[in-house]
Amino acid sequence: MSAVPSLSAPDPVLRSGGSAPERNPAVTALQQALGAKVAVDLQTRTSRSRDRSHLPHGVADAVVRCASTEDVAAAVRICAAHGVPVVPIGAGTGLEGGANARPGWVSIDLSPMDRILRLGPADLDATVQAGVLKSQLNAALEPLGLWFPAGPGVDASFGGMASTSASGTMAVRYGTLRENVLGLTVVLASGQVVRTGGRARKSAAGYDLTRLFVGAEGTLGIITEVTVRLHGQPEAVSAAVCSFPTLADATLVVQEAVQAGIPVARVELLDEAMVAAVNAYSATGLPEAAALFFEFHGTPRSVQEQAGQLREIAAAHGGTGFDAAVGPQERDRLWQARTDVLPSCQALLAGSVTWSTDVCVPISRLAECITATQADIAASGVTAPIAGHAGDGNFHLAFVLAPDDEQAHAAAAGVNERMVARALAMGGTCTGEHGIGMGKLAALAAEHGPGVQVMAAVKAALDPQHILNPGKVLA
Amino acid sequence: MSAVPSLSAPDPVLRSGGSAPERNPAVTALQQALGAKVAVDLQTRTSRSRDRSHLPHGVADAVVRCASTEDVAAAVRICAAHGVPVVPIGAGTGLEGGANARPGWVSIDLSPMDRILRLGPADLDATVQAGVLKSQLNAALEPLGLWFPAGPGVDASFGGMASTSASGTMAVRYGTLRENVLGLTVVLASGQVVRTGGRARKSAAGYDLTRLFVGAEGTLGIITEVTVRLHGQPEAVSAAVCSFPTLADATLVVQEAVQAGIPVARVELLDEAMVAAVNAYSATGLPEAAALFFEFHGTPRSVQEQAGQLREIAAAHGGTGFDAAVGPQERDRLWQARTDVLPSCQALLAGSVTWSTDVCVPISRLAECITATQADIAASGVTAPIAGHAGDGNFHLAFVLAPDDEQAHAAAAGVNERMVARALAMGGTCTGEHGIGMGKLAALAAEHGPGVQVMAAVKAALDPQHILNPGKVLA
């Protein structure tokens, strides 16, 4: 499970300095059809051939900067005719190599598709192009008293969030992208365009193609437009931070809160190492102990009620410093610090790379899984602070690695492999929200066994040439 | 869209009195492998060859009463070897012919699979066999303070509810089966068994096979076990009924409540005709006018708050009689009356059959869609009271028809066809919760266009022989 797939060929551009695009007839055809939208300069190709992961990548032969679904369809049709693989990329914030390209491939850049197509305040929905960022939609929704709370802390695009079934800190209350996508426009491997789902809140009409494409990481089709549910901005918000004697204590508080059905909007777990990293990076001044960050949404009364219930549970587990009266500015600062866990970790070691990985387990096993993982980290001698969307049973490690330290990389791979095996043995999943990409292919097989053959049959049916982001999700 | 698919051959058993099973080599092989679990008597075959719809059905050649996933797998393997179609049936409460058999087919009866396999109160989940009824799980959950609120009022089985993506009166608050199924055990067309999903609250691991099988009506695989989310029983519950001058007024109240984000647990709309039918059948004594039935769940405080907000909105639209202080017994009686809308309609005409159909539209179009449909009903001279899960934008007609009145059947088909077209033109769906079955094949094509080809490709990939409930969902 630890083996990282190696690229079958080193990048010819980087190796030779020559121009691979000139040798790729699909690129010539793309240029004829799409003109200046097709970038072949090395800088563009390099920057648009990878996500934020530590995983290997090549450089695509061309980047098609798509402005519309029609551009994507045209590009895919041309690539299909030449048997050339395509890989979609939006904000490029993925963590498992989902957007990583290889030489000979064409990168379908959706970031120019940045138009909000429709706001439907009366139906609490909106339709956006795939390249629209979460922050952009939320800025447009703010004056309407609405927002889109799902998705990661990093400012991701809707195409990418839908493609990885993203979730983030508020999934415990508002659901993941899976629950918040109502419909999609998708370009298929043939270049044909289909619309899935619709604007009704629910439907029993045929197979759920929407949820088939959500989380498929661009391997079954390229998502170009997304219709999402919106939520009303909460009338009242309060936040709290609480420190605990041990990580297990903090985790038990989360378990009990979830079991009691308290509708907490966010409940984030940071281990001692992560609190130290965050303190150093964001000057948060928290006690260096396991901590929970809470946020409560509702009417002023219900927010008060929820905070009171949580304070009691926390106190029963030795929690200290619970203060639900944090003001809006302090609250924003706190959550920004939580959002910045990856740069906080990276700052622990000058010149380091981070490798972020996640698993998700049934909440009753969270304390056991997370403490066993922490012990493994200590025994393995790697630096890997822990943070998690604990209310979902989802947690992350951020390995902090010197780029050339092969021994540390191998140790990290071992910790990751054992963490995945531990999560699966507990009835959990190898990834709660980062996706499979190219980093967790073996983990997917371990988790789903014969189910992977079903996935492969679906893939073969929808992409018989295997040109849609091949080697991702499925080997 | 109105054409009901006719059976290609009349049932040879009913026609000749002879024994079709003896002419079907798959039945002999099934008897050899599964012994007394294989029923060939006419009474069993007749009773297990249809759902509750008005749609045509034949009689299966045999009924395999399955007690385990292994039984289902064995039966499907044998039928696959003989190229014989199989159709799963559980409680048989479907409304679009999804469980209807034809001569030559084998009915896979899942109702003997009635074991609750696991209750996980610490994780708010449970795993049940496909034949377990909703009432049965809820009886087991009651002492634990938990429940499963999703699904229809009729006592359906988990296999059937998952297969049709059922929703019911509380979907507006707790979601449909789509959101409440965590994992499945499925027998594929080959007889192979796969497990999808898991017990983690969320996962980004590969394609979402769970949601592919949910709503597929047994055409991609036969669901034999279902892992579902559970919910805590609400601390406090209150209910209210409110009458309105017009159906449009009542609908606008629902729209405004949804737009305001009031977390109502149930909000059911009944038109004047349906209130009259319910009054006659259940002696509810309501004013004969459009009505809304509400239920609020939460803490005592929040329930009071929600009811107060709704009372204000209702009053602004001429609502009268809003009384949120209804006691538990009166509440149960009220909701039982709501659950009994179909028998209430059937009782309107001695010896009648009912034909229940549903659509779902964006909430902002609900008033317009429902009043236009009511006008069409009046103009068409059919009896078709309306009830709806209005909070989702979902509503139902129950046509009340004399079995031999071909003119009334044709008029009903016309009303249904125009209602579907109206819903689609408004961005809605041809069915919010009943499914496609055999009754809405043309409607699915109208709704999803090229998406139906994608569905067909998935079907062909997973069931290349087309033995899984053929002719359902896809023509």
Side-chain angles (χ1 to χ4, degrees):
Chain A
M1 223 171 287
S2 64
V4 162
S6 65
L7 294 171
S8 57
D11 178 4
V13 176
L14 295 180
R15 190 184 50 183
S16 67
S19 170
E22 293 172 14
R23 297 197 302 272
N24 190 334
V27 175
T28 313
L30 287 167
Q31 286 172 318
Q32 282 164 358
L34 292 157
K37 288 172 180 169
V38 182
V40 292
D41 66 286
L42 184 58
Q43 193 188 336
T44 302
R45 291 190 291 126
T46 305
S47 69
R48 300 271 69 195
S49 287
R50 65 167 303 184
D51 64 12
R52 295 195 187 173
S53 71
H54 68 296
L55 292 158
H57 66 98
V59 174
D61 280 4
V63 176
V64 185
R65 299 174 179 279
C66 295
S68 66
T69 297
E70 291 65 38
D71 284 350
V72 177
V76 171
R77 264 197 307 274
I78 289 166
C79 289
H82 289 84
V84 164
V86 293
V87 52
I89 188 165
T93 55
L95 293 168
E96 288 293 350
N100 285 10
R102 291 185 180 211
W105 291 18
V106 168
S107 169
I108 305 292
D109 186 356
L110 300 157
S111 58
M113 291 187 66
D114 62 356
R115 282 190 303 128
I116 296 170
L117 300 174
R118 188 184 56 80
L119 293 180
D123 292 305
L124 301 177
D125 68 358
T127 300
V128 298
Q129 287 188 314
V132 167
L133 299 175
K134 185 178 159 177
S135 63
Q136 184 188 345
L137 178 61
N138 276 327
L141 294 174
E142 211 282 328
L144 303 172
L146 300 173
W147 69 334
F148 183 79
V154 65
D155 201 10
S157 62
F158 277 88
M161 289 195 291
S163 291
T164 52
S165 189
S167 46
T169 58
M170 296 200 208
V172 66
R173 170 70 172 268
Y174 298 98
T176 71
L177 265 284
R178 185 158 283 148
E179 290 82 33
N180 282 284
V181 174
L182 289 168
L184 297 170
T185 301
V186 179
V187 174
L188 301 177
S190 61
Q192 197 187 2
V193 177
V194 293
R195 289 191 166 75
T196 74
R199 292 189 54 225
R201 285 278 132 169
K202 65 184 190 187
S203 174
Y207 307 156
D208 188 354
L209 297 182
T210 303
R211 254 119 324 246
L212 187 60
F213 290 112
V214 167
E217 305 186 31
T219 64
L220 298 178
I222 298 179
I223 295 172
T224 59
E225 294 173 3
V226 187
T227 298
V228 293
R229 286 173 191 260
L230 305 176
H231 300 262
Q233 285 170 18
E235 194 186 334
V237 175
S238 85
V241 178
C242 192
S243 298
F244 292 88
T246 70
L247 190 64
D249 289 317
T251 312
L252 288 170
V253 170
V254 180
Q255 282 181 207
E256 290 181 26
V258 169
Q259 286 157 6
I262 303 170
V264 58
R266 292 168 145 176
V267 50
E268 295 290 306
L269 177 67
L270 281 70
D271 78 347
E272 190 178 330
M274 190 62 89
V275 169
V278 165
N279 275 344
Y281 188 79
S282 300
T284 26
L286 297 169
E288 293 207 357
L292 290 175
F293 287 31
F294 296 102
E295 196 166 273
F296 309 102
H297 297 173
T299 60
R301 264 190 189 175
S302 78
V303 158
Q304 213 180 0
E305 223 173 30
Q306 293 171 49
Q309 290 171 291
L310 241 321
R311 186 184 290 111
E312 273 183 38
I313 299 174
H317 290 276
T320 52
F322 190 101
D323 177 9
V326 171
Q329 280 189 331
E330 175 60 11
R331 197 172 67 220
D332 288 350
R333 210 172 70 86
L334 204 64
W335 284 108
Q336 190 56 49
R338 166 62 190 86
T339 298
D340 288 340
V341 290
L342 263 188
S344 301
C345 291
Q346 199 156 12
L348 291 174
L349 178 68
S352 67
V353 294
T354 53
W355 168 3
S356 179
T357 178
D358 81 312
V359 293
C360 187
V361 295
I363 193 88
S364 68
R365 309 299 295 271
L366 181 61
E368 187 185 349
C369 190
I370 213 166
T371 50
T373 301
Q374 206 184 34
D376 192 14
I377 290 166
S380 304
V382 290
T383 303
I386 295 175
H389 312 316
D392 294 320
N394 184 204
F395 69 94
H396 306 250
L397 304 188
F399 296 110
V400 183
L401 303 163
D404 302 329
D405 187 345
E406 284 179 24
Q407 204 180 339
H409 276 264
V415 169
N416 184 43
E417 186 175 349
R418 288 186 294 276
M419 179 177 73
V420 166
R422 192 175 298 123
L424 297 187
M426 293 177 174
T429 177
C430 67
T431 171
E433 59 179 13
H434 291 181
I436 298 298
M438 51 201 288
K440 280 190 170 160
L441 297 169
L444 181 71
E447 180 170 339
H448 284 297
V452 176
Q453 294 161 33
V454 179
M455 295 179 199
V458 171
K459 167 75 175 174
L462 299 193
D463 180 20
Q465 279 195 94
H466 286 265
I467 63 157
L468 295 174
N469 208 5
K472 312 293 175 65
V473 183
L474 298 168
Chain B
M1 224 170 286
S2 62
V4 163
S6 66
L7 293 172
S8 56
D11 178 4
V13 177
L14 295 180
R15 192 184 48 183
S16 67
S19 170
E22 293 172 14
R23 297 197 302 272
N24 189 334
V27 175
T28 313
L30 287 166
Q31 286 172 318
Q32 282 165 358
L34 292 158
K37 288 173 179 167
V38 182
V40 292
D41 66 285
L42 185 58
Q43 194 189 336
T44 303
R45 292 190 291 127
T46 305
S47 69
R48 300 271 70 196
S49 286
R50 65 167 302 183
D51 64 11
R52 294 196 187 173
S53 71
H54 69 296
L55 292 158
H57 67 98
V59 174
D61 280 5
V63 176
V64 185
R65 297 174 180 280
C66 296
S68 66
T69 297
E70 291 66 36
D71 284 350
V72 177
V76 171
R77 264 197 307 273
I78 290 166
C79 290
H82 290 83
V84 164
V86 293
V87 52
I89 187 165
T93 54
L95 293 168
E96 287 293 350
N100 285 10
R102 292 186 180 210
W105 291 18
V106 169
S107 168
I108 304 292
D109 185 356
L110 300 156
S111 58
M113 292 188 64
D114 62 357
R115 283 191 301 129
I116 295 170
L117 299 173
R118 188 185 55 80
L119 293 179
D123 291 306
L124 301 177
D125 69 358
T127 301
V128 299
Q129 287 188 314
V132 168
L133 299 174
K134 184 178 160 179
S135 63
Q136 185 188 345
L137 179 61
N138 276 327
L141 294 174
E142 211 283 327
L144 304 172
L146 300 173
W147 68 334
F148 183 80
V154 66
D155 201 10
S157 61
F158 277 89
M161 289 195 291
S163 291
T164 51
S165 190
S167 48
T169 58
M170 298 200 206
V172 65
R173 171 71 172 267
Y174 299 98
T176 72
L177 265 284
R178 185 158 283 147
E179 289 82 33
N180 282 285
V181 173
L182 289 167
L184 297 170
T185 302
V186 179
V187 174
L188 301 176
S190 61
Q192 196 188 4
V193 177
V194 293
R195 288 192 167 74
T196 73
R199 292 188 55 225
R201 285 279 133 170
K202 66 184 191 188
S203 173
Y207 306 157
D208 188 354
L209 297 183
T210 302
R211 250 103 349 229
L212 187 59
F213 291 112
V214 167
E217 305 187 33
T219 63
L220 298 178
I222 297 179
I223 295 172
T224 60
E225 295 173 2
V226 187
T227 297
V228 293
R229 286 172 191 260
L230 305 176
H231 299 262
Q233 283 170 18
E235 193 185 336
V237 175
S238 85
V241 178
C242 192
S243 298
F244 293 87
T246 69
L247 191 64
D249 289 317
T251 312
L252 288 170
V253 169
V254 180
Q255 282 181 208
E256 289 181 26
V258 169
Q259 286 157 6
I262 302 169
V264 56
R266 292 168 145 175
V267 50
E268 295 290 304
L269 177 68
L270 280 71
D271 77 346
E272 190 178 330
M274 188 63 89
V275 169
V278 165
N279 276 343
Y281 187 80
S282 300
T284 26
L286 297 168
E288 293 207 357
L292 290 175
F293 287 30
F294 296 102
E295 196 167 272
F296 309 102
H297 296 173
T299 61
R301 262 190 191 175
S302 78
V303 158
Q304 213 180 0
E305 221 172 31
Q306 292 171 48
Q309 290 172 291
L310 241 319
R311 186 185 291 112
E312 272 182 38
I313 298 174
H317 290 278
T320 53
F322 190 101
D323 176 9
V326 172
Q329 281 190 329
E330 176 60 11
R331 198 172 68 218
D332 288 351
R333 209 172 71 85
L334 204 65
W335 283 109
Q336 189 55 50
R338 166 62 190 86
T339 299
D340 289 339
V341 290
L342 263 187
S344 301
C345 290
Q346 200 156 13
L348 291 174
L349 178 67
S352 67
V353 294
T354 53
W355 167 5
S356 180
T357 178
D358 81 312
V359 294
C360 188
V361 295
I363 194 86
S364 68
R365 308 300 295 272
L366 182 60
E368 187 185 349
C369 190
I370 213 164
T371 50
T373 301
Q374 206 184 32
D376 192 14
I377 291 167
S380 304
V382 291
T383 303
I386 296 176
H389 312 317
D392 294 320
N394 184 205
F395 69 93
H396 306 251
L397 304 189
F399 295 110
V400 183
L401 304 163
D404 303 327
D405 188 346
E406 284 179 25
Q407 204 180 339
H409 276 264
V415 170
N416 185 43
E417 185 174 350
R418 289 185 294 277
M419 179 177 73
V420 166
R422 193 176 297 124
L424 298 187
M426 292 176 174
T429 177
C430 67
T431 172
E433 58 180 14
H434 291 182
I436 297 298
M438 51 201 287
K440 280 188 171 162
L441 296 169
L444 181 71
E447 180 171 339
H448 284 297
V452 176
Q453 293 161 34
V454 179
M455 295 181 199
V458 171
K459 166 75 173 173
L462 299 193
D463 180 21
Q465 279 195 94
H466 286 265
I467 63 157
L468 295 174
N469 209 6
K472 311 293 175 64
V473 182
L474 298 169

